[in-house]
Amino acid sequence: MRVERRVERGRARREGERRRKARIYVEEERGKRKRSSVSETSSLAAQREMAAPIGTVAITGGTHGNEANGVELARHFLRNIDSVQRPSFRTTVTITNPAAVNANTRYIDEDLNRCFLKSDLADESRQTLEARRAREVNQILGPKGSDGCAVDLIIDLHNTTAATGVALLMAPGDALCHAIAARLQEVDSSVRIANWTKGAADYPLLPSIAP
């Protein structure tokens, strides 16, 4: 009986040690990822310091018609346009998918926020409601990939059912967005940064219209 108890105690100690090492490993990995994210954001923020100042910012809402926060914020800003103007740049506000907003649905034919690849914008055979609207939005805010893009930054407002808290999604190499994110994290440390897929040649997302 004593031998069995010693064996059990030995197993319990080994299991406790294994779990302790596993916790340490997880914490170290989290620390590495956090330091890497902070370093990348700081580096991009430093790059932004040397970039040209922005002239026009676009705020968009209703890209997904049933995401009420973005819709109502955009409507509020349209009613109070002076509240989003700044001395150093001008701001425009657009409801991007009014048909989906009116129907209170994510989209009518296809996800508008997957319609902004340059190849898709150039393809006139794409005739879904969202494909046509994407071309209209591209003309208002872009054109994408041109030297004469109408805006320097697009802030596209969304909701999510995921437990992300306040999350900022952006292209990995977007120095301006990372500089903004770094500043917001100074104000509120709970703000999260989520990069789009690294290494993609193009993105189908609405904010990718801006340079």
Side-chain angles (χ1 to χ4, degrees):
M1 199 68 169
R2 286 199 207 91
V3 173
E4 289 176 358
R5 285 201 194 100
R6 283 200 298 273
V7 169
E8 287 301 317
R9 283 198 294 271
R11 285 176 181 166
R13 279 197 300 272
R14 287 193 295 275
E15 180 63 16
E17 182 65 14
R18 186 190 67 78
R19 290 182 179 179
R20 187 184 69 82
K21 289 180 178 178
R23 282 196 301 272
I24 291 171
Y25 174 78
V26 168
E27 287 167 3
E28 287 176 346
E29 288 301 304
R30 283 176 178 165
K32 286 177 187 175
R33 286 197 294 269
K34 186 173 181 180
R35 287 192 296 273
S36 175
S37 175
V38 168
S39 175
E40 181 178 8
T41 296
S42 299
S43 174
L44 288 164
Q47 291 175 33
R48 182 59 201 169
E49 289 297 318
M50 300 181 288
I54 61 174
T56 304
V57 172
I59 297 173
T60 57
T63 301
H64 294 142
N66 61 347
E67 295 181 4
N69 283 7
V71 173
E72 293 307 319
L73 276 170
R75 286 172 172 167
H76 171 77
F77 292 145
L78 284 166
R79 291 192 301 268
N80 303 275
I81 195 66
D82 288 346
S83 68
V84 290
Q85 303 304 324
R86 296 293 183 272
S88 59
F89 60 84
R90 64 183 288 266
T91 304
T92 68
V93 182
T94 303
I95 301 289
T96 44
N97 197 345
V101 170
N102 291 338
N104 191 30
T105 186
R106 185 176 176 85
Y107 54 81
I108 302 299
D109 294 324
E110 64 175 317
D111 191 339
L112 178 61
N113 211 29
R114 301 296 184 272
C115 291
F116 291 94
L117 287 172
K118 283 184 280 189
S119 58
D120 288 342
L121 291 168
D123 185 356
E124 295 286 343
S125 70
R126 288 174 46 79
Q127 288 297 315
T128 64
L129 182 145
E130 277 80 14
R132 295 195 304 273
R133 180 59 177 161
R135 289 194 288 272
E136 292 172 359
V137 171
N138 185 51
Q139 289 305 309
I140 295 168
L141 304 181
K144 182 175 181 176
S146 72
D147 292 332
C149 196
V151 303
D152 302 295
L153 171 68
I154 299 172
I155 302 172
D156 193 28
L157 303 172
H158 287 266
N159 292 94
T160 178
T161 56
T164 60
V166 177
L168 308 175
L169 283 66
M170 62 196 71
D174 190 326
L176 172 59
C177 285
H178 279 82
I180 293 170
R183 173 57 184 148
L184 290 175
Q185 286 184 322
E186 290 175 2
V187 176
D188 183 352
S189 61
S190 71
V191 170
R192 298 179 179 183
I193 300 171
N195 283 318
W196 301 342
T197 305
K198 196 169 186 177
D202 192 12
Y203 295 101
L205 309 172
L206 188 154
S208 71
I209 293 175

